[in-house]
Amino acid sequence: MLEKIFKLKENKTTVKTEIIAGLTTFMTMAYIIALNPNLLVGFGQSGTSLWNGVFLATCIASAVGMLVMAFVANKPFAMAPGMGLNSFFAVVVANIVGLTGMTYLESFQAALCIILIEGLVFLALSVLNVREKIVDAIPLGVRLGIAPAIGLMLLNIGLGSNAGVGPASSFYVMRDFFGALTPSIAKANMGDSYPTMVLTVVTMFIGLFVIIILSQKGIKAAVILGMLAASIINWAGQAIFLHTNPFASLAGASFLPPFKDMAETTLFKFNFGGFAQIGLFTVVTLIITFCIIDMFDTIGTLVGTASRAGMLDKDGRMPQMKEALLADAVGTVAGSVTGTSTVTTFVESASGVEAGLTALTTGIVFLACMFLAPVAAVIPPAATSAALIYVGVLMITGLKNIDFGDICQTVPTALMLIAMPVSGSIGHAIGIGLISYTVIKLFTGKAREVSVLTYVLSVIFLVKFFLVA
């Protein structure tokens, strides 16, 4: 049966190999199960119910995407809410709060409308086989600069708001701890929050270096083991030095999947009324931004991982690319319906690349994790910061693909590198990159090298920056 469905002999693999590969892939990306709800709900500031809803959505949407990947595309690629995209989603939600005055939950539900539209657009584009053509129309310099810029943004989040402590997370590691002239000044400024800040710094960097050391030793589960090490240090520190019980939330906790919380907060909870308050231009810009980022992320990951596994044909193309792209579109729609940000292919898939049974195995384990919500909730934000920082560093390595001798690649990349972490907007940073590329080409006699789509997007962003009230 499994042989007939997944063509194991044709793919030179076995059931045992596939299951081991699926479990290996899960171990390398399991951190997303706790990290994604932490990111999307403002690190505990939006209540337990929303956290539980996003937790379940993360497990369910990931599994749905992987089931499509397994049975439709017969590819081993694992899927989950994408890093960078989830951070961007959280920033968008915060911006909606400031723009409309709605609560975080209402703004979250309005932002889910954007993910729904993006997913539906991707379904159409995948069926029509035009996603690759759209990506090809975007300038190379902008394409190559997006991932490193997102990496810097993740570093900023990991060392900033994610690790914030004190009232309303008002103190930040890089600014208030490392930015203080002396420890005594930091202690005076932070007051009672100083011990928590010290524990946060220790937790974060122990986790980060454990991840780095283990990954250098070739250990597949480096990220989740690093998060575990950081969590243990943090839990011990809370008990010994802060005299608090890090597991207080587990008392009386239910290990049944919190479907009630998801039904109340995220399941089919599209706030179209709030969505309308955002403004048509902003909505269109956000949808385009999510689409562009997800296309680069998914196609780049699919091609790169398939190349590493020898799945590309002689022309450098991956068979059944259309079906694989369809899987992430279905996953994204499932994510919007259940309550999470864009679902995309994970680069960690490279740790278990075989055939479709690998993706099926990973998806089943994700579903099993629905029973572990209380355990995931006690993982400290500082531990997830370690993972954020590490992923950010990995994304920065994409700079090696940029030809710094080509000013049309260097300028957009440099501008996006600074614009993304400072502005907190991936979309605005891409807009600046597109505008700079277009201006350079236009006024150096190379206007014909710019695609029509790039001109259109550049004009849209110019209007956005300078003319929209």
Side-chain angles (χ1 to χ4, degrees), residues 51 79 87 101 114 138 172 196 215 274 283 290 305 318 321 360 363 412:
W51 195 99
M79 314 188 77
S87 299
I114 299 173
I138 304 299
Y172 301 115
T196 304
S215 65
V283 165
F290 271 109
T305 307
M318 187 184 80
M321 170 69 88
L360 176 61

Side-chain angles (χ1 to χ4, degrees), residues 85-165:
L85 286 161
N86 51 11
S87 299
F88 181 36
F89 181 88
V91 171
V92 168
V93 174
N95 288 340
I96 293 174
V97 172
L99 181 67
T100 65
M102 294 188 296
T103 65
Y104 192 94
L105 177 59
E106 291 171 334
S107 300
F108 187 96
Q109 293 167 344
L112 286 178
C113 298
I114 299 173
I115 305 302
L116 174 63
I117 295 172
E118 179 211 351
L120 293 175
V121 169
F122 269 4
L123 274 175
L125 295 179
S126 298
V127 171
L128 297 173
N129 205 28
V130 298
R131 283 176 71 177
E132 302 98 316
K133 295 179 182 177
I134 292 177
V135 173
D136 290 340
I138 304 299
L140 180 62
V142 176
R143 271 186 281 166
L144 295 177
I146 290 176
I150 292 176
L152 277 184
M153 186 176 181
L154 294 182
L155 285 171
N156 189 45
I157 293 171
L159 291 165
S161 56
N162 183 27
V165 299

Side-chain angles (χ1 to χ4, degrees), residues 152-393:
L152 277 184
M153 186 176 181
L154 294 182
L155 285 171
N156 189 45
I157 293 171
L159 291 165
S161 56
N162 183 27
V165 299
S169 296
S170 56
F171 297 120
Y172 301 115
V173 167
M174 194 55 69
R175 183 190 69 196
D176 299 296
F177 189 85
F178 291 107
L181 293 176
T182 64
S184 60
I185 292 177
K187 187 174 183 179
N189 290 336
M190 298 177 200
D192 295 339
S193 296
Y194 182 73
T196 304
M197 178 64 82
V198 173
L199 179 60
T200 296
V201 173
V202 172
T203 298
M204 181 192 307
F205 281 98
I206 286 179
L208 174 62
F209 288 116
V210 168
I211 292 172
I212 292 171
I213 292 169
L214 292 180
S215 65
Q216 288 297 301
K217 291 182 177 293
I219 296 176
K220 300 296 185 182
V223 173
I224 195 168
L225 290 176
M227 287 180 64
L228 178 61
S231 297
I232 292 172
I233 295 296
N234 193 274
W235 294 331
Q238 290 183 53
I240 297 171
F241 301 107
L242 304 183
H243 309 294
T244 59
N245 180 6
F247 307 112
S249 63
L250 293 179
S254 172
F255 284 85
L256 293 176
F259 288 115
K260 182 175 182 293
D261 287 338
M262 184 173 73
E264 292 175 349
T265 57
T266 62
L267 185 62
F268 286 100
K269 295 295 184 181
F270 297 111
N271 181 7
F272 289 104
F275 176 70
Q277 296 182 44
I278 300 173
L280 178 61
F281 187 89
T282 301
V283 165
V284 171
T285 302
L286 288 173
I287 292 172
I288 291 174
T289 301
F290 271 109
C291 287
I292 290 174
I293 297 168
D294 190 19
M295 280 192 290
F296 295 150
D297 193 17
T298 300
I299 292 176
T301 301
L302 285 174
V303 174
T305 307
S307 175
R308 186 181 304 179
M311 293 181 179
L312 301 184
D313 61 22
K314 58 184 178 63
D315 297 318
R317 297 171 181 169
M318 187 184 80
Q320 294 181 289
M321 170 69 88
K322 176 180 177 179
E323 289 81 358
L325 291 172
L326 184 65
D328 95 292
V330 172
T332 295
V333 173
S336 70
V337 167
T338 54
T340 186
S341 55
T342 305
V343 171
T344 188
T345 305
F346 262 50
V347 70
E348 285 83 354
S349 301
S351 61
V353 167
E354 297 294 341
L357 185 55
T358 295
L360 176 61
T361 302
T362 308
I364 291 173
V365 180
F366 261 80
L367 286 177
C369 287
M370 292 192 299
F371 296 89
L372 300 177
V375 175
V378 300
I379 296 176
T384 57
S385 277
L388 270 178
I389 295 168
Y390 178 67
V391 173
V393 170

